[in-house]
Amino acid sequence: MRIFALTLSALAAGISTFVLYAPDHVSSATADKALLSALPVVAPADSQGLVVLELFTSEGCSSCPPADRVLSQTVARAAAEGLPVLALAFHVDYWNRLGWRDHFSTAAYSARQRQYAQVLSGRVYTPQLVINGTRELVGSDRTGLDAAIRDAMRRPADAGFEQLTATANGDHQWRVTWDARGDLREAEVHLVLVLREAVTQVLRGENGGRTLSHVQVVHRMTTLPARQQGEAVIEADPSVSPENLQLIALIQDRNTLRVRGGASAGL
C-alpha cells in the first residue's frame, strides 16, 4: 500500500458467510477466464442493497495487482450469484512520473479519489477501495471487503433507475436515457463507460516486465445533475471494441458522496 501526502438479489435468509474470492485450488488462468463474463443488468428493488465498488489503482504501483485480482474475483462471483455489485476501476495518474505511464489513467480520476479523502479517511493511496462512497479499505483486503459487502447488502438503496438504455448514435457513440426513482435531492448522475477487460504489458516502473490483467476499467465518465428523466450522449475512443464496453450509471449525493443507487447495462 502506498500513501501519498494529499490531503444484487438479496442474500438468502440464513446465509452467514459470503465468500468473495476463488478457492486457492482454482488456477489464476481459470479464475481470470471467469472474470470476463459481464455483470448482469442490475437495478435492485427498494428492499435490496446495492454495492458499488470503486478501486483506485495504477499500473505503476507494485501493490496494486493483488487488489486488481481481488476486484476481478469479486466481479466474477457477483456475476455467478446474481448479486447487485457494480465495480469500477479508476486508474490514477500520480504514479505516471515514476517510470511508467498508465494509459488508462487521468487527472480526473485522481481528483475523484481526493474528493473521497475529504469525507472519508483523509488519505489518498493505492490500492484504495471505496464502497458505496461511505467507507474505504485497502483494495487487497479480502476479509474487509467481504464484511463491507455483507453490510452494504443489508442497507436498502434509496434511489435507483426504473429504466436505463444506451442506443447507438453513430460510430462509438451512444444516446443514454434513464428514468430514475427515489431521493434525487442534491444528487448527481454519473454515466460511466467501463472496459470489461484489459491486458497491458508493462515495460518500466515497479511492475516492469509484468503482464497485468484488469476488469471494469473506467474509460469515460460524464456527470449530470440528477433528475427523474434524462438523456446524454457518451462517446468511446475509436480504438475500443463496443463488445468490450459496459455502461454503469450511479446516483450520488454531491455533498456526502454517498452512492444512493445505480444500475448497469450493456451497449
Side-chain angles (χ1 to χ4, degrees):
M1 178 181 71
R2 305 304 179 94
I3 300 176
F4 282 74
L6 303 173
T7 31
L8 293 162
S9 57
L11 286 175
I15 294 179
S16 58
T17 302
F18 182 37
V19 180
L20 294 173
Y21 49 91
D24 290 340
H25 66 272
V26 176
S27 71
S28 59
T30 301
D32 288 345
K33 184 176 180 180
L35 307 175
L36 307 183
S37 58
L39 280 169
V41 174
V42 174
D46 292 339
S47 61
Q48 294 178 320
L50 175 71
V51 185
V52 175
L53 305 177
E54 298 181 54
L55 177 65
F56 293 93
T57 185
S58 171
E59 291 182 341
C61 165
S62 62
S63 300
C64 287
D68 295 336
R69 286 193 294 272
V70 169
L71 185 72
S72 296
Q73 292 161 1
T74 303
V75 167
R77 186 58 182 260
E81 300 289 338
L83 300 172
V85 174
L86 301 176
L88 305 100
F90 288 93
H91 285 233
V92 299
D93 72 337
Y94 48 79
W95 278 94
N96 291 353
R97 68 184 186 277
L98 300 179
W100 178 252
R101 182 183 179 278
D102 185 335
H103 68 280
F104 300 120
S105 69
T106 76
Y109 304 159
S110 300
R112 181 168 176 82
Q113 187 183 26
R114 290 194 294 271
Q115 279 187 297
Y116 278 126
Q118 293 174 7
V119 299
L120 297 176
S121 66
R123 301 184 301 163
V124 170
Y125 62 90
T126 57
Q128 183 180 39
L129 188 66
V130 175
I131 302 96
N132 284 359
T134 60
R135 62 188 297 181
E136 62 89 26
L137 49 79
V138 177
S140 54
D141 181 359
R142 297 183 180 190
T143 301
L145 177 56
D146 184 347
I149 289 183
R150 287 201 309 266
D151 183 60
M153 291 287 291
R154 298 188 187 104
R155 302 172 185 271
D158 57 6
F161 295 91
E162 299 288 353
Q163 171 265 335
L164 175 68
T165 61
T167 306
N169 195 42
D171 292 342
H172 294 88
Q173 190 177 87
W174 293 266
R175 176 176 173 266
V176 179
T177 61
W178 73 83
D179 290 321
R181 56 172 171 78
D183 184 4
L184 305 179
R185 295 171 298 174
E186 294 297 314
E188 297 174 324
V189 168
H190 301 298
L191 303 177
V192 190
L193 281 182
V194 299
L195 306 179
R196 300 179 190 271
E197 60 166 334
V199 177
T200 301
Q201 292 183 332
V202 179
L203 303 180
R204 296 176 297 279
E206 291 194 358
N207 289 313
R210 302 182 64 179
T211 298
L212 302 182
S213 298
H214 311 296
V215 297
Q216 301 301 107
V217 178
V218 175
H219 176 63
R220 294 282 190 271
M221 182 170 173
T222 299
T223 300
L224 301 164
R227 52 185 181 272
Q228 187 172 7
Q229 294 181 317
E231 66 176 72
V233 173
I234 54 176
E235 187 170 354
D237 188 282
S239 65
V240 175
S241 169
E243 289 76 19
N244 194 34
L245 288 171
Q246 182 186 36
L247 172 67
I248 292 178
L250 304 178
I251 298 172
Q252 185 170 34
D253 189 298
R254 66 167 59 94
N255 300 313
T256 68
L257 303 186
R258 182 172 63 89
V259 176
R260 297 179 185 174
S264 69
L267 298 178

